Amino acid sequence: MFDWLGIDHLVELTAAEAVLGFLTPLIVFAAFFVLQMVLPGRHVPGYVINRETGQLRSYRLNGLLVFVVAQLLWWFELTGMPRDWFYRSSLYAVAGGTVLTTIMTIVAVFSQPEGEVENRFLAWWFGRAQELQFFNGRFDVKMYFYVVGGTMLSLNALSGAAWHNDRFGDDANPGVFIYAAIFTFYVFDYFVFERVQLYTYDLIHENLGFKLFWGGLIVYGWMFIIPLWGMAAHPDPGFTSGWRYFWLIGTPALFAVGWCISRGANMQKYTFKRWPDRKFLGLIEPQVIEAGDRKILCSGFWGAARHFNYMGEGFFSLSIALVWGHFGNLWSWTYFIFIVSMFTYRQMDDDKHCAEKYGAEKWAEYKARVKYRIIPGIY
Ligand code: NDP
């Protein structure tokens, strides 16, 4: 089957390596726990209100530092682990990580009092607690997920690029290196703006169930590189020079457009939530619909579509589909398909939450004013 799928190179480990691959997430989780606890961080007030105390939650952030240290450890092989290990052990790590996150979720969910969801499977899937913090707030489970998931995403992509380079040498596909560079930039950017993430869906709406444990640690950390599983085994597509430049410049440019939309929209919302009267970038005046003591932003990016930020992710995922230069290969398109499906669902779900939060009437007013969900003029 692996042969047919074109990923037989991912099942070439010896028995001892396979066991080590299975245990890799456990070792990685422990190492990140130590790094996150030991490295200095800054305490910041968040956006989400603690349901028990009614106070704003506070977070200790040091993602950027953990990311940089982890990168140095990997690039210079300071742990003795070969650079291609993460990639070669991908399938075993996903299996081990899935078992591990299943157990972690059982502990995290069933150690909490029963909430509104009585069905035990649904409670395990969606979680009971909105947040878990330990060691006097020094360790926050959701922030840990994103530090591990984001950094491992970058390291897995880089590891695949290292494997590809060793395998193909002069015939290596530059698209593979651009892919790893794009994801590394994407995650780096996330950590630079780590505080902005405190104002997003996962922190506001999600509880700590398997969906978030597995999604944050294993899907984000290991499985977001699924296109690479199929594409790292292919050499340079060999375009003639005109098309080659178009492809090699066009795909990063498409990513850059997507990044500007997503980052711009996220920063505008963040600026608005912290300083409601401030013009975004000194240019875009906040226009709002008043909904009791809440305000719906409806200018700038948030006036173009109700989730224009998701369109940025769409462009980004399209650049990931095109970056390999093997346009007809289905592996190239897996991330794009996943992102489009996830954000189509997420937009509808967020719309529902917002209608409850801001009141159906005010949200309908926003929908009438900003007609499109994600793509201005189209959807
Ligand atoms: P948002 O940042 O859009 O957060 C949604 C929340 O923002 C809403 O619940 C609401 O919360 C508030 N909000 C929405 N519209 C308005 C408005 N018009 N005025 C005021 N407040 C509003 O979504 P996400 O958290 O899903 O995404 C954050 C970023 O992370 C995005 O760029 C996304 O693309 C990216 N992302 C990427 C993923 C990936 O896999 N590549 C996965 C997840 C996210 P409230 O009213 O309580 O403030």
Side-chain angles (χ1 to χ4, degrees):
M1 181 183 76
F2 294 108
D3 230 3
W4 178 77
L5 287 171
I7 54 168
D8 44 318
H9 60 286
L10 292 176
V11 286
E12 284 170 351
L13 302 189
T14 63
E17 284 179 327
V19 173
L20 191 59
F22 192 83
L23 294 176
T24 293
L26 179 63
I27 300 164
V28 165
F29 292 173
F32 273 94
F33 173 75
V34 172
L35 282 180
Q36 209 177 11
M37 286 293 286
V38 168
L39 292 173
R42 61 188 179 122
H43 286 271
V44 298
Y47 174 63
V48 173
I49 292 176
N50 186 330
R51 289 170 191 161
E52 275 119 52
T53 63
Q55 305 291 315
L56 275 188
R57 285 190 182 280
S58 149
Y59 299 82
R60 179 172 171 273
L61 304 181
N62 61 2
L64 187 57
L65 198 53
V66 175
F67 173 78
V68 170
V69 171
Q71 290 281 338
L72 291 175
L73 292 173
W74 180 85
W75 279 91
F76 295 102
E77 295 187 335
L78 297 178
T79 61
M81 180 187 67
R83 280 188 207 96
D84 65 359
W85 171 252
F86 284 137
Y87 181 68
R88 288 201 304 122
S89 62
S90 293
L91 294 186
Y92 302 88
V94 167
T98 301
V99 172
L100 192 56
T101 48
T102 303
I103 297 168
M104 288 160 82
T105 311
I106 291 172
V107 176
V109 171
F110 297 111
S111 60
Q112 297 298 307
E114 194 179 282
E116 287 162 21
V117 182
E118 283 170 24
N119 180 299
R120 290 171 79 78
F121 174 76
L122 290 180
W124 172 79
W125 178 261
F126 290 111
R128 285 180 175 163
Q130 186 190 32
E131 194 57 272
L132 290 172
Q133 292 187 327
F134 301 101
F135 308 108
N136 208 14
R138 198 173 173 86
F139 182 78
D140 179 284
V141 173
K142 280 188 182 171
M143 297 325 284
Y144 170 77
F145 286 172
Y146 301 118
V147 170
V148 179
T151 309
M152 285 311 299
L153 165 58
S154 159
L155 294 184
N156 274 309
L158 289 165
S159 179
W163 180 87
H164 178 81
N165 189 49
D166 291 346
R167 170 135 176 194
F168 290 103
D170 288 346
D171 202 21
N173 180 356
V176 172
F177 306 120
I178 296 176
Y179 168 83
I182 283 180
F183 261 129
T184 301
F185 172 82
Y186 179 81
V187 173
F188 172 73
D189 168 74
Y190 166 91
F191 288 125
V192 169
F193 296 104
E194 198 178 13
R195 190 168 179 179
V196 178
Q197 305 306 319
L198 303 179
Y199 293 69
T200 57
Y201 180 101
D202 291 0
L203 272 86
I204 301 169
H205 300 308
E206 299 274 22
N207 284 347
L208 286 160
F210 185 71
K211 186 174 169 223
L212 213 61
F213 268 87
W214 190 63
L217 293 168
I218 302 303
V219 177
Y220 186 32
W222 272 265
M223 294 173 70
F224 264 35
I225 66 150
I226 280 181
L228 190 60
W229 291 359
M231 300 315 298
H234 294 272
D236 190 317
F239 293 128
T240 50
S241 60
W243 283 111
R244 189 174 181 79
Y245 287 126
F246 187 61
W247 160 56
L248 289 178
I249 295 170
T251 44
L254 190 59
F255 163 72
V257 171
W259 176 78
C260 289
I261 295 174
S262 277
R263 179 51 62 215
N266 293 334
M267 292 309 289
Q268 189 196 355
K269 178 159 71 81
Y270 171 73
T271 307
F272 172 68
K273 298 276 174 182
R274 287 199 68 191
W275 305 281
D277 299 321
R278 189 181 284 184
K279 281 187 187 174
F280 177 55
L281 300 176
L283 297 168
I284 304 173
E285 188 95 51
Q287 291 170 15
V288 300
I289 294 174
E290 304 273 353
D293 54 356
R294 289 175 160 270
K295 288 185 171 92
I296 305 172
L297 180 61
C298 44
S299 57
F301 292 92
W302 299 86
R306 299 202 293 281
H307 265 104
F308 197 33
N309 50 347
Y310 293 170
M311 190 172 127
E313 293 288 336
F315 276 143
F316 164 42
S317 62
L318 184 59
S319 77
I320 292 298
L322 302 175
V323 75
W324 318 99
H326 295 280
F327 310 119
N329 189 312
L330 196 58
W331 282 105
S332 308
W333 293 92
T334 46
Y335 183 72
F336 176 75
I337 294 167
F338 166 72
I339 287 293
V340 170
S341 323
M342 177 170 84
F343 282 114
T344 305
Y345 164 77
R346 190 182 268 234
Q347 189 283 326
M348 292 183 206
D349 194 49
D350 197 45
D351 232 32
K352 215 168 59 197
H353 281 298
C354 287
E356 279 166 24
K357 220 169 0 184
Y358 291 92
E361 199 185 311
K362 291 293 168 186
W363 197 251
E365 191 182 329
Y366 176 51
K367 280 163 76 170
R369 185 154 164 183
V370 182
K371 290 195 177 55
Y372 296 99
R373 292 168 182 273
I374 297 176
I375 311 174
I378 298 178
Y379 174 73

